[in-house]
Amino acid sequence: MLGHFLIFCAGLTLLSLGADQFLRGATGLARRFGVREFVIGMVLVGFGTSAPELTVNLAAVVHGRYDLATGNVVGSNIANIGLILGISALLAPLVVQMRLVKVETPLLIVVSIGFLLLCLDGVLSRMDGLILLLGFAGLITLVALDMKQEPQAVQSELAEAVPSNGRDMAWIVVRSIGGLVGLVIGAELMVDSAVAMARLLGMSELVIGLTIVAIGTSLPELASSVIAAARGQVDIALGNVLGSCLFNLLLIIGVTASVHPLPVANSLLWVELPAMLLFSIALLPMMLRRMAIGRTEGLVLLFAYVSFIGWQMWGAFGTVPAA
């Protein structure tokens, strides 16, 4: 067990480093082609923080670990809201822009409901994957149309969130390729070790995906949101979480289901997916209460997430049927 856990940690480290280097290489290429800094911050940083989920899911599908793939995305979204927003709000109150209340959060709720409806027949087919990818294309189009309307302060925050990477083209290419290799190898190590640990512990691959793997692949979002919150860049902290959730449901699952249809476990359909939806819906009253997610709301979110993880562990090791 210790050996598999160490391999998992090594894969997670390689995955995180690979994502960082790939993001730096991608932003370097974008700069060379004259893409504006705040555009890079809104789009490429979102891709970069979602890269671990995508590579882990593709590795899981290649090895036939479909429950792990779906569990990873659902668990990552729950972790994004409960764990990451909870910790970020404890560090500094997150002031909410009206746009988040009128557009992004309702959009996340609608997408979550749509995703749940697609799962009702017990499988995410290739057609479902295509529908999700079309939704992602619509999301990117919406972002592109609204970019120029962002306040200058928000644009400045987005620009500051873009990592530095140097200007040498050869170094940029090396970073991009090296980061991609790190992502692939790290994902392989994580999936193999996670499946091995699940077997040794008697846990389902779905639970492993919902908990250990989901937390691991959410670490880039946790790091970027916590740093942003500590710096007072609340738009980055909130936007990063909501954007990552939308990326996960539309892009990550869209690509994964397009590669191979994903069966949807009954427990996922009736327990974890409704839980994911409830976490998303809960954001609205929290935001509207004072137009801020403060430390009280942060504690509530964190407590809800710890309770969710506790329920999963109790289901795996206790008397409650495994989720």
Side-chain angles (χ1 to χ4, degrees):
M1 173 60 70
L2 179 60
H4 290 306
F5 179 73
L6 292 176
I7 292 174
F8 181 88
C9 291
L12 177 58
T13 301
L14 195 55
L15 192 77
S16 299
L17 292 174
D20 179 66
Q21 294 304 309
F22 181 73
L23 173 59
R24 291 177 184 273
T27 55
L29 289 173
R31 282 193 177 104
R32 292 296 291 262
F33 284 101
V35 179
R36 296 173 65 185
E37 295 287 305
F38 84 94
V39 176
I40 298 174
M42 291 187 75
V43 180
L44 283 183
V45 173
F47 275 108
T49 54
S50 295
E53 283 92 346
L54 179 59
T55 49
V56 165
N57 267 32
L58 291 177
V61 165
V62 167
H63 294 290
R65 311 299 181 187
Y66 308 121
D67 282 346
L68 193 151
T70 52
N72 177 35
V73 165
V74 175
S76 291
N77 273 23
I78 294 174
N80 281 343
I81 297 174
L83 178 65
I84 297 174
L85 269 189
I87 292 176
S88 299
L90 288 177
L91 289 175
L94 305 176
V95 179
V96 177
Q97 300 288 338
M98 184 57 70
R99 175 189 169 86
L100 291 174
V101 176
K102 290 184 175 181
V103 181
E104 275 86 353
T105 305
L107 182 60
L108 176 59
I109 294 171
V110 170
V111 170
S112 298
I113 293 173
F115 181 75
L116 179 58
L117 292 176
L118 289 177
C119 293
L120 286 178
D121 61 355
V123 63
L124 285 165
S125 65
R126 287 191 171 94
M127 180 58 68
D128 294 333
L130 179 59
I131 292 171
L132 292 171
L133 288 176
L134 288 174
F136 179 73
L139 173 65
I140 294 299
T141 301
L142 177 65
V143 170
L145 291 174
D146 288 347
M147 276 178 186
K148 295 181 180 180
Q149 299 177 18
E150 292 289 350
Q152 186 58 47
V154 175
Q155 293 187 24
S156 298
E157 283 187 16
L158 290 167
E160 290 173 10
V162 178
S164 60
N165 44 54
R167 297 284 179 174
D168 183 70
M169 190 64 181
W171 181 235
I172 289 172
V173 172
V174 168
R175 273 189 157 173
S176 301
I177 296 175
L180 185 59
V181 171
L183 280 167
V184 172
I185 296 176
E188 287 283 342
L189 292 175
M190 280 186 66
V191 169
D192 290 343
S193 57
V195 171
M197 286 190 293
R199 288 174 177 169
L200 289 173
L201 292 171
M203 299 171 66
S204 69
E205 292 176 12
L206 176 60
V207 172
I208 285 287
L210 285 162
T211 55
I212 298 174
V213 176
I215 293 173
T217 56
S218 296
L219 287 180
E221 288 95 332
L222 176 61
S224 58
S225 291
V226 166
I227 291 172
R231 291 176 177 173
Q233 298 172 323
V234 294
D235 293 294
I236 296 295
L238 281 168
N240 179 54
V241 166
L242 295 177
S244 177
C245 288
L246 288 168
F247 271 54
N248 286 343
L249 293 178
L250 296 173
L251 177 65
I252 309 304
I253 283 291
V255 171
T256 308
S258 297
V259 172
H260 193 284
L262 300 173
V264 179
N266 282 334
S267 62
L268 190 74
L269 187 60
W270 300 111
V271 179
E272 287 83 21
L273 279 173
M276 181 190 75
L277 179 58
L278 285 175
F279 269 91
S280 301
I281 293 173
L283 284 178
L284 264 184
M286 287 184 178
M287 290 178 173
L288 289 170
R289 181 168 173 256
R290 292 179 300 174
M291 291 306 291
I293 298 178
R295 290 186 172 89
T296 301
E297 290 82 8
L299 280 173
V300 170
L301 289 172
L302 200 55
F303 176 77
Y305 182 72
V306 171
S307 300
F308 170 78
I309 293 297
W311 171 261
Q312 293 296 320
M313 293 299 100
W314 183 254
F317 300 115
T319 58
V320 178

